[in-house]
């Protein structure tokens, strides 16, 4: 079971809430302070992408965010229910040209995630997709030494 | 935190000072501001990002869209940013090669291509 599970209506105004909750749970789980900015950005990108997929697909289901505290690692899984073909994560550093830039926001989001997070899995199928990201944590005992 | 926007004209440059968070919810406001400026004939923009606390790919998309618009009028869009966490997002998306990024508004205003 997830440590914290969040479901929100696929609306842009709720993405910020998801970022704040994810960062708070990550901090508690022992994710390094220096990495929390990256957690916040990565989860925001994943949620933004899911909101876009739901809105474009006319899907009324909520976006689901699972925050999972495990031994030595913290995982975030952002799930959508949009049926889609497999996606390609753009390699970090690849230049995004100025061709049709605004429609490339989705790919830019994935580019940011793959550039930020070392351990990331993007999956997509007919019943929906998910982005799973993992970060190492410092064991609680070590925090007090 | 919401997005704050203010503009100021210095010679032929228009400075757009942005504060707060630029994300999927607030980015449309920035897009509207940039579109309005270009429609009103401001083609040399300096976007001051020093007050920005958070920027995501939606914000990047809006800035790229702004750049396309000013370039259509042979204009320019320069950024002012010293914050490492914001600069990192431009680096990982390769956009440091697309935008001139300056350390101060004065430097950006004085810059020519």
């Amino acid at each position: 079971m997830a440590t914290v599970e969040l479901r929100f209506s696929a609306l842009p105004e709720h993405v910020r809430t998801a970022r704040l909750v994810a960062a708070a749970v990550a901090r508690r789980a022992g994710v390094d302070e220096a990495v929390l900015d990256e957690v916040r950005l990565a989860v925001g990108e994943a949620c933004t992408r899911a909101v876009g997929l739901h809105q474009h697909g006319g899907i009324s289901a909520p976006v689901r965010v699972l925050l999972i505290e495990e031994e030595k690692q913290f995982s975030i899984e952002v799930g959508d229910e949009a049926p889609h073909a497999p996606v390609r994560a753009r390699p970090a550093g690849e230049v995004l040209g100025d061709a049709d830039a605004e429609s490339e926001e989705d790919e830019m989001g994935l580019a940011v995630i793959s550039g930020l997070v070392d351990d990331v899995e993007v999956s997509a199928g007919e019943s929906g997709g998910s982005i799973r990201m993992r970060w190492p944590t410092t064991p609680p005992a070590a925090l007090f030494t | 935190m919401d997005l704050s926007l203010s503009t100021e004209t210095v010679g032929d440059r228009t400075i757009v000072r942005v504060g707060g968070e630029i994300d999927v919810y607030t980015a449309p406001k920035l897009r509207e501001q940039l579109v309005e400026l270009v429609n009103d004939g401001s083609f040399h923009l300096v976007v001051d990002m020093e007050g920005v606390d958070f920027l995501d790919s939606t914000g990047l998309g809006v800035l790229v869209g702004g750049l396309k618009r000013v370039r259509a009028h042979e204009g320019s869009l320069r950024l002012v940013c010293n914050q490492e966490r914001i600069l990192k997002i431009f680096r990982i998306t390769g956009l440091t090669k697309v935008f001139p990024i300056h350390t101060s508004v004065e430097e950006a205003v004085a810059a020519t291509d």
Side-chain angles (χ1 to χ4, degrees), chain A residues 16 19 38 45 93 98, chain B residues 1 21 23 57 71 88 92:
Chain A
R16 179 170 189 261
R19 287 201 304 269
E38 294 175 11
E45 294 292 354
D98 50 10
Chain B
M1 187 188 286
E21 301 188 344
D23 74 352
S57 62
R71 276 188 179 166
K88 184 174 181 177
I92 60 179

Side-chain angles (χ1 to χ4, degrees), chain A residues 54-72:
Chain A
H54 279 211
Q55 288 196 331
H56 294 143
I59 297 159
S60 57
V63 170
R64 196 173 62 141
V65 184
L66 302 178
L67 307 166
I68 307 156
E69 194 178 335
E70 292 160 305
E71 200 183 339
K72 295 181 183 170

Side-chain angles (χ1 to χ4, degrees), chain B residues 53-69:
Chain B
D53 302 309
F54 182 86
L55 173 74
D56 73 2
S57 62
T58 325
L60 293 177
V62 168
L63 292 170
V64 172
L67 182 65
K68 279 179 65 184
R69 285 192 177 84

Side-chain angles (χ1 to χ4, degrees), chain B residues 33-45:
Chain B
Q33 172 78 84
L34 297 179
V35 168
E36 198 182 306
L37 285 169
V38 174
N39 288 346
D40 290 346
S42 302
F43 305 139
H44 292 282
L45 307 179

Side-chain angles (χ1 to χ4, degrees), chain A:
Chain A
M1 188 196 145
T3 310
V4 172
E5 183 174 337
L6 185 68
R7 286 167 190 267
F8 64 92
S9 306
L11 295 169
E13 53 264 50
H14 300 316
V15 171
R16 179 170 189 261
T17 305
R19 287 201 304 269
L20 296 175
V21 172
V25 178
R27 176 182 280 124
R28 239 198 85 78
V31 173
D32 195 275
E33 276 303 309
V35 186
L36 288 177
D37 269 342
E38 294 175 11
V39 173
R40 198 176 288 122
L41 181 55
V43 77
E45 294 292 354
C47 289
T48 297
R49 182 169 174 273
V51 166
L53 289 169
H54 279 211
Q55 288 196 331
H56 294 143
I59 297 159
S60 57
V63 170
R64 196 173 62 141
V65 184
L66 302 178
L67 307 166
I68 307 156
E69 194 178 335
E70 292 160 305
E71 200 183 339
K72 295 181 183 170
Q73 69 172 18
F74 177 70
S75 311
I76 299 180
E77 189 177 327
V78 177
D80 65 73
E81 294 188 15
H84 42 89
V87 289
R88 179 183 75 93
R90 194 184 282 263
E94 185 175 321
V95 178
L96 293 166
D98 50 10
D100 204 18
E102 283 167 31
S103 71
E104 287 191 355
E105 278 171 19
D106 175 43
E107 279 202 50
M108 195 126 69
L110 283 177
V112 170
I113 292 171
S114 48
L116 280 178
V117 189
D118 294 332
D119 190 349
V120 57
E121 281 169 42
V122 181
S123 61
E126 283 180 15
S127 59
S130 78
I131 297 180
R132 181 188 270 267
M133 303 166 281
R134 294 187 192 87
W135 289 269
T137 53
T138 310
L143 292 173
F144 302 103
T145 57

Side-chain angles (χ1 to χ4, degrees), chain B residues 6-81:
Chain B
S6 66
T7 60
E8 184 193 339
T9 307
V10 177
D12 68 340
R13 309 287 166 109
T14 303
I15 302 155
V16 183
R17 288 185 212 277
V18 190
E21 301 188 344
I22 312 176
D23 74 352
V24 64
Y25 180 53
T26 61
K29 210 168 136 184
L30 177 61
R31 179 182 288 127
E32 278 169 30
Q33 172 78 84
L34 297 179
V35 168
E36 198 182 306
L37 285 169
V38 174
N39 288 346
D40 290 346
S42 302
F43 305 139
H44 292 282
L45 307 179
V46 173
V47 179
D48 181 359
M49 314 270 294
E50 286 299 272
V52 172
D53 302 309
F54 182 86
L55 173 74
D56 73 2
S57 62
T58 325
L60 293 177
V62 168
L63 292 170
V64 172
L67 182 65
K68 279 179 65 184
R69 285 192 177 84
V70 295
R71 276 188 179 166
H73 298 277
E74 291 173 6
S76 62
L77 194 156
R78 299 173 181 281
L79 303 176
V80 176
C81 183

